[in-house]
Amino acid sequence: MTESPQATRAFRQAGLLVGAGLIVEAITSQFVHPNAFVSFLALGAGLVGAGIARYLWAIMRLRGASQR
Amino acid sequence: MASTPQVLAAIVLVTLFLIAVVMRRPPLGTRSTLGNHATAFAAIAALPILVTWFGFENHLEGSKSTSFCLSCHVMEPYGESLWIDDEDGHVPATHFQNKRVPQEQACFVCHTQYTMFGDLQAKIQGMRHLYVYYFGTVPETIELYQPYQNRECLFCHAGARVFEQSELHAEMRAELEANETSCLECHGPAHDIENLADLERWSGVLSHD
C-alpha cells in the first residue's frame, strides 16, 4: 500500500478515536452506576466504533487505490 | 485475583501502546507488511472490540446490583422499603434483612423472570429504563410491565420446607402454580410505598447505603 499523507492521517485519526474510546471505557468500567454505563455505551463504544469505521474505510480506500 | 475492570484496564493499556506504535509507524509504503497490518488490525479493531464486549458484559453484570438500581432517585422509596421494621409482614424487607435474597442483588433476584430468556429480557428492560430515565419522561407511578408472577416466588420457595409444610400452600398449590391466585394476595402489599412514611425502619447491623 502506498504511503500518502492522507493515508497516514487516516490511520492516526482512527488510532486517536479508538484510543480515546478505550480510555473512556477503561475509566467508566471502574464504576457501577447508570451514568458510567451510559457513558461507556454512548461515548466509549461510540468513539471506538467511529475509530474502527475510520480504519476500515481507510483500508478499503487504500486497497482500491492500489488496485487502480 | 484481579477483577474484571482491572483486567480491562490492563488490556486497554496494552492496546494503547500498540495504537501508539501503529500511529507512529502506519503499515504503509515499505512498512506495508503482513505483520504490521496484523498489528494495526489488532490494535485498532480486534482488541478494542474485545474490550468493548467484555466491558459491556461487565456493566450488565454490575447493573444487577442493588446499588445500581437504587442510584436512580425514582427507585429510592423502593430501596427504603427494604428497611421497613416488620419481621414477618413486608415481603421485600424480610427477604432483604434476613438475607433470603443476596443483598447485593436484591432487586434483580426478585424482579428477573425465571424463564429461558428471563435474564436477557430483564437486561433489555433495564436498557429501556436507562433510556427513559435519561431521555424520556419517568412516570409518576412506577408499575411492573405485567402483574408479578408466582413463578418468581416459587423458583425459590417450591420445595422449601417452610413453604411445603404449610397446609394452606398445599391446598392452593395448583392455583398458585397456575398463577390464578397471586402470592401477594396473602403476602402483599410488597413494597407498600403508599404507607412508607408511617412505617418504622430497622437499623440493624447491616450498612444502610
Side-chain angles (χ1 to χ4, degrees):
Chain A
M1 287 180 184
T2 51
E3 187 164 5
S4 66
Q6 290 93 336
T8 306
R9 194 167 61 236
F11 270 94
R12 290 190 173 151
Q13 284 172 347
L16 279 175
L17 285 167
V18 170
L22 286 176
I23 289 169
V24 171
E25 288 186 0
I27 292 170
T28 55
S29 291
Q30 308 304 312
F31 302 96
V32 178
H33 194 277
N35 287 343
F37 196 178
V38 170
S39 304
F40 176 92
L41 274 184
L43 198 58
L47 283 168
V48 168
I52 292 172
R54 184 79 183 97
Y55 166 71
L56 294 176
W57 180 248
I59 292 282
M60 284 193 297
R61 287 197 67 176
L62 279 170
R63 193 161 289 271
S66 62
Q67 280 172 354
R68 281 196 299 272
Chain B
M1 194 168 163
S3 64
T4 306
Q6 288 171 332
V7 173
L8 280 174
I11 299 173
V12 166
L13 281 178
V14 172
T15 311
L16 288 175
F17 172 75
L18 289 175
I19 288 173
V21 170
V22 170
M23 286 173 68
R24 195 172 164 79
R25 298 167 60 84
L28 299 166
T30 54
R31 291 188 300 273
S32 180
T33 62
L34 185 63
N36 284 347
H37 276 291
T39 306
F41 181 77
I44 300 179
L47 285 171
I49 288 172
L50 195 73
V51 168
T52 303
W53 177 254
F54 282 113
F56 182 65
E57 276 292 315
N58 179 54
H59 275 289
L60 276 186
E61 197 58 31
S63 70
K64 291 179 182 176
S65 70
T66 308
S67 63
F68 184 95
C69 300
L70 301 183
S71 58
C72 292
H73 73 265
V74 292
M75 284 291 123
E76 281 172 9
Y78 296 88
E80 197 64 34
S81 74
L82 300 175
W83 295 94
I84 292 171
D85 188 12
D86 181 0
E87 278 197 54
D88 298 313
H90 289 83
V91 171
T94 55
H95 279 71
F96 179 79
Q97 292 168 19
N98 293 302
K99 297 191 175 183
R100 290 175 189 152
V101 292
Q103 287 172 332
E104 64 280 3
Q105 293 189 346
C107 309
F108 180 81
V109 166
C110 291
H111 287 282
T112 191
Q113 292 178 13
Y114 290 97
T115 56
M116 184 182 281
F117 299 109
D119 262 23
L120 180 68
Q121 198 172 359
K123 286 170 180 177
I124 291 170
Q125 285 173 348
M127 298 292 288
R128 187 177 158 191
H129 295 165
L130 278 179
Y131 178 81
V132 170
Y133 189 79
Y134 284 100
F135 307 110
T137 308
V138 179
E140 280 190 29
T141 309
I142 306 288
E143 287 179 3
L144 297 174
Y145 289 98
Q146 57 179 352
Y148 198 83
Q149 301 290 303
N150 293 347
R151 175 189 58 216
E152 275 58 275
C153 305
L154 293 172
F155 182 78
C156 294
H157 288 281
R161 181 174 175 179
V162 70
F163 175 81
E164 299 291 350
Q165 71 185 9
S166 156
E167 285 179 19
L168 191 59
H169 287 160
E171 283 171 24
M172 299 179 67
R173 187 61 178 257
E175 279 178 61
L176 292 172
E177 286 183 349
N179 211 53
E180 287 165 3
T181 303
S182 170
C183 299
L184 292 171
E185 282 183 30
C186 294
H187 297 285
H191 288 282
D192 204 9
I193 299 302
E194 292 78 16
N195 300 312
L196 195 59
D198 304 323
L199 296 164
E200 294 287 318
R201 302 290 185 276
W202 180 64
S203 53
V205 291
L206 302 168
S207 62
H208 189 168
D209 53 13

